[in-house]
Amino acid sequence: MSELTVSNIAKSFAKQLVLDDITFTINDGEFVSLLGPSGSGKSTLFHLIGGMYRPDRGAFFLDGKEITGKRGVISYMPQSPSLFPWRNVLSNVILGAEIHRKVDKDKAREMLKKAGLANYENAYPHELSGGMRQRVAFVRALLSPQDFICLDEPFSALDEFTRLDMQTWLLDIWEKNRKSVLFITHSIEEALYLSDRIIVLSSNPAKIKREFDLPFQRPREQSLLLSKDFFEWKRKIYQELEQLKVNS
């Protein structure tokens, strides 16, 4: 079980209020996306959840236990893969488990096989394509012992075709593990395709403006992206984001 509660979070930097009264819950096994303007404090919220900063007000709870300011209780995948260049693929993916002394190399090899990387466990990051490095980073996040994962725009640097392949791959792997995920993206389509729920943030300071519970069944197929319902939801969320611009 892994349920995250974000309760009344506020954070300022240099007297500038960045986050204000942020409250929501990610249920066990749920995939939720944060969507909002650039600079709205989404990454700051991740840093707070991960214990890199402390909030000025509010608290975080994982399965009912307070984790405010604590590090190592969630798994975090940043925008760049952040692989160690001197470690091969296998050594990189077991890093999180290694830190917690819970290494299972057989499981790691099985995950690499599922990720299409079975022949690359001894390769080094510079020998991989961008998409392959992203897959290595995600396998590392899955192999970390924490049941809650924060993904910060992990596909933003990829081209459109590779990005769609990675989204589909992510869904396939996630379906088999069902860890709770909080996902940052600027893409409405990406949020709709991946998520059970979308939380829309305003900016200056960030506040929760809307939450959308999505009706799309799982497992998801790429054909969903061309469906009438998908375009209708895209229009609805686009209008919400446009309204934020008008009111900012």
Side-chain angles (χ1 to χ4, degrees):
M1 180 177 175
S2 186
E3 179 182 277
L4 178 74
T5 299
V6 177
S7 180
N8 306 113
I9 295 297
K11 181 65 179 177
S12 299
F13 291 102
K15 298 183 179 180
Q16 177 69 41
L17 186 61
V18 177
L19 301 171
D20 186 25
D21 196 26
I22 303 293
T23 298
F24 60 85
T25 296
I26 310 297
N27 298 313
D28 182 42
E30 191 177 25
F31 197 123
V32 177
S33 286
L34 284 178
L35 197 59
S38 295
S40 60
K42 299 185 294 296
S43 293
T44 297
L45 181 59
F46 270 24
H47 293 153
L48 288 165
I49 294 170
M52 286 174 271
Y53 307 142
R54 288 192 67 95
D56 300 331
R57 185 177 68 251
F60 299 98
F61 300 88
L62 191 64
D63 297 333
K65 297 179 181 179
E66 186 169 356
I67 61 167
T68 311
K70 294 183 179 179
R71 299 190 180 193
V73 293
I74 65 160
S75 181
Y76 174 62
M77 181 177 167
Q79 293 180 28
S80 61
S82 300
L83 304 177
F84 288 118
W86 59 87
R87 297 181 71 130
N88 64 24
V89 166
L90 181 62
S91 295
N92 265 292
V93 299
I94 64 173
L95 181 61
E98 197 174 86
I99 291 170
H100 290 83
R101 298 181 180 180
K102 295 183 178 181
V103 175
D104 185 339
K105 288 189 177 181
D106 289 336
K107 183 178 179 180
R109 290 188 177 96
E110 181 61 28
M111 288 295 295
L112 288 172
K113 182 178 179 181
K114 290 178 181 177
L117 296 167
N119 297 323
Y120 293 91
E121 67 175 66
N122 294 315
Y124 288 84
H126 72 273
E127 299 175 289
L128 307 177
S129 67
M132 292 167 74
R133 287 194 292 270
Q134 290 297 106
R135 277 183 275 169
V136 171
F138 186 65
V139 169
R140 180 180 60 193
L142 285 175
L143 287 171
S144 293
Q146 304 93 336
D147 289 324
F148 194 94
I149 304 177
C150 287
L151 303 176
D152 189 354
E153 292 193 86
F155 308 140
S156 60
L158 304 177
D159 64 79
E160 186 173 352
F161 296 106
T162 305
R163 185 170 180 154
L164 180 57
D165 284 343
M166 286 298 301
Q167 290 165 359
T168 303
W169 174 83
L170 167 60
L171 283 178
D172 181 60
I173 296 294
W174 176 78
E175 286 283 355
K176 295 178 175 66
N177 293 270
R178 285 289 179 139
K179 289 193 175 186
S180 306
V181 173
L182 184 58
F183 187 93
I184 287 179
T185 180
H186 286 102
S187 168
I188 297 173
E189 286 193 357
E190 184 168 69
L192 285 170
Y193 184 43
L194 297 176
S195 310
D196 298 305
R197 185 157 46 101
I198 295 174
I199 297 173
V200 176
L201 295 180
S202 64
S203 59
N204 303 316
K207 294 186 176 185
I208 293 178
K209 301 306 292 183
R210 287 284 300 276
E211 291 192 30
F212 295 93
D213 290 303
L214 303 179
F216 309 129
Q217 298 295 312
R218 296 191 183 277
R220 303 272 165 88
E221 304 290 342
Q222 288 189 10
S223 58
L224 172 66
L225 298 167
L226 299 176
S227 69
K228 182 179 178 181
D229 284 348
F230 190 89
F231 282 111
E232 181 59 29
W233 275 93
K234 182 178 178 180
R235 181 191 63 80
K236 186 186 299 186
I237 295 174
Y238 175 80
Q239 289 177 341
E240 185 70 28
L241 292 174
E242 285 297 299
Q243 191 61 42
L244 289 179
K245 293 180 184 178
V246 171
N247 295 333
S248 61

